[in-house]
Amino acid sequence: MSESGCYLYAIAAPVDDGVLDGLRGVAGEPVRAVRHRDLVAVVGTVDVGAFGEEALARNLNDLGWLEHAARAHHAVVDGVARAVPAAPLRLATICADDDGVRERLERWHDGFRRALDEVTGRAEWSVKVFAPRLPTSSPDPVAEPVPAAGTPGSGAAYLIRRKAASTARDDALARATAAADEVHAELAAHAVDARRLTVQDQRLTGGETPMSLNGAYLVPIDDSDRFEAAVEVLRERYADCHIVVAGPWPAYSFVAMEEGA
Amino acid sequence: MTEARERAPLTRPYGSSLAAPPQPANLADILERVLDKGIVIAGDIRVNLLDIELLTIKIRLLVASVDKAQEMGIDWWRRDPMLSGSAKDDADE
């Protein structure tokens, strides 16, 4: 049959087989731990037919395939991170065999160790701020009497309404930008580490208004409740902005590691 | 949930602080993290990282052309994607 490769999901502290038994990987395969010194790599055996260089280049550009792989990769990482400290690997890191995995655990041991120490006892939270919704354009009849069509001033009134709408949009965005800065500063104070990720395109989020903050926060597990309470306070303070919190996540955004490190 | 808050051991996993697992994360968040974040090391089977970067650009391009994407039956950026998992082999612009 065709060759197989070793797909890596996460570097972790030694993990019980019981945790891994319930997980299935990107190819629907069972996952296992390859141990070296005080670390394990959580891996699955995949077919090079689907995960070889050429196949991957093709498959990664198939959005259906990508979605499936991304969700499966995340599910394994998440399952491991819920049980032991774990540092996620980027999608599609594949070694020839277990020896190749051990060799990397040896070569980058110290970097992995540092990454793991950084996230031990901590989890990532995602907090997003969306701009306020614009008032639905039913102009206040008191503030803006609508002249009958054809009477002098109806065109001017239209222009005034147009201008008011565009001003309202600018105001909402300015408000969202200010809220983003303040929310991020406030939450960063409740976190061990914080990052502002690129805001996501509105068409990607499906949100009604643009995103002004896509924040990631590394929070001690024991402080989770306090962190969520802080988000609630901010929600009340910026009641017109839509604030979305998600977590806990594996610490994807806080395990950056230079290969040479 | 409402157990006494005692000092947890350092190795306490985050799962144990939860009464229930959260709802499944949305795809945009997952893609952002599995493609752009996490540890990057070279495997034996090399996916040119450029390909992945190109891919994310491509995703943005694709998303920037919602009509075209919908024509192709791709609507996975919606909050609750209902993809079969094997999209058409046609993501090339």
Side-chain angles (χ1 to χ4, degrees):
Chain A
M1 278 297 283
S2 59
E3 289 172 84
S4 61
C6 215
Y7 183 110
L8 283 72
Y9 295 94
I11 307 297
V15 55
D16 281 349
D17 285 344
V19 171
L20 302 182
D21 284 348
L23 303 174
R24 290 292 173 271
V26 287
E29 86 285 0
V31 300
R32 57 202 167 80
V34 174
R35 186 163 183 169
H36 179 74
R37 293 164 67 181
D38 56 340
L39 300 176
V40 302
V42 174
V43 307
T45 300
V46 296
D47 193 288
V48 171
F51 291 87
E53 264 165 74
E54 279 176 45
L56 268 179
R58 196 174 52 246
N59 286 335
L60 284 170
N61 285 294
D62 172 339
L63 294 173
W65 191 95
L66 175 70
E67 176 181 1
H68 175 82
R71 286 189 184 281
H73 180 95
H74 172 66
V76 173
V77 169
D78 194 54
V80 174
R82 279 169 192 282
V84 292
L89 282 153
R90 187 189 286 204
L91 191 80
T93 306
I94 302 162
C95 296
D97 52 28
D98 288 17
D99 285 345
V101 175
R102 281 190 208 96
E103 187 213 314
R104 283 162 179 83
L105 287 173
E106 174 62 32
R107 195 187 323 164
W108 290 305
H109 176 274
D110 295 357
F112 290 152
R113 189 68 260 171
R114 270 196 301 275
L116 222 47
D117 290 344
E118 175 69 13
V119 305
T120 295
R122 298 163 177 172
E124 178 171 329
W125 291 79
S126 154
V127 179
K128 302 190 180 82
V129 176
F130 293 87
R133 234 181 273 170
L134 293 173
T136 42
S137 49
S138 53
D140 181 355
V142 178
E144 233 192 309
V146 183
T151 59
S154 60
Y158 168 76
L159 288 177
I160 289 169
R161 276 200 305 278
R162 279 281 304 269
K163 174 129 182 53
S166 120
T167 304
R169 237 191 332 270
D170 290 350
D171 287 352
L173 285 176
R175 165 93 177 146
T177 304
D181 293 344
E182 290 161 33
V183 166
H184 183 68
E186 183 84 22
L187 293 179
H190 284 80
V192 178
D193 201 352
R195 302 242 194 298
R196 285 182 82 155
L197 312 182
T198 311
V199 294
Q200 295 168 353
D201 189 290
Q202 198 172 336
R203 284 158 302 204
L204 191 65
T205 62
E208 286 179 40
T209 57
M211 186 186 292
S212 64
L213 174 68
N214 183 7
Y217 306 91
L218 187 66
V219 179
I221 286 149
D222 290 341
D223 293 346
S224 302
D225 295 348
R226 241 171 307 178
F227 183 82
E228 288 191 275
V231 174
E232 282 312 312
V233 168
L234 291 164
R235 264 211 185 102
E236 280 166 38
R237 192 182 306 164
Y238 301 99
D240 54 342
C241 295
H242 183 43
I243 298 182
V244 177
V245 60
W249 281 78
Y252 285 99
S253 306
F254 300 96
V255 293
M257 198 186 91
E258 296 299 315
E259 249 194 54
Chain B
M1 206 49 196
T2 49
E3 56 199 299
R5 298 194 72 74
E6 46 192 61
R7 284 303 307 153
L10 246 194
T11 53
R12 187 171 141 208
Y14 72 69
S16 61
S17 68
L18 293 174
Q23 323 93 323
N26 79 53
L27 183 63
D29 283 355
I30 291 180
L31 281 176
E32 169 178 64
R33 283 173 169 80
V34 304
L35 289 174
D36 285 344
K37 306 285 179 277
I39 289 179
V40 179
I41 58 167
D44 294 316
I45 291 171
R46 290 180 196 275
V47 193
N48 188 344
L49 286 185
L50 192 61
D51 289 347
I52 292 194
E53 258 119 37
L54 278 177
L55 172 78
T56 57
I57 290 165
K58 205 176 245 186
I59 286 173
R60 291 197 184 110
L61 278 177
L62 187 70
V63 164
S65 157
V66 174
D67 293 349
K68 181 184 172 216
Q70 280 175 324
E71 223 171 90
M72 290 159 50
I74 295 173
D75 64 350
W76 50 262
W77 63 85
R78 298 253 180 270
R79 193 176 308 284
D80 203 11
M82 299 291 292
L83 261 192
S84 63
S86 57
K88 303 174 189 71
D89 192 11
D90 55 10
D92 290 333
E93 329 325 318

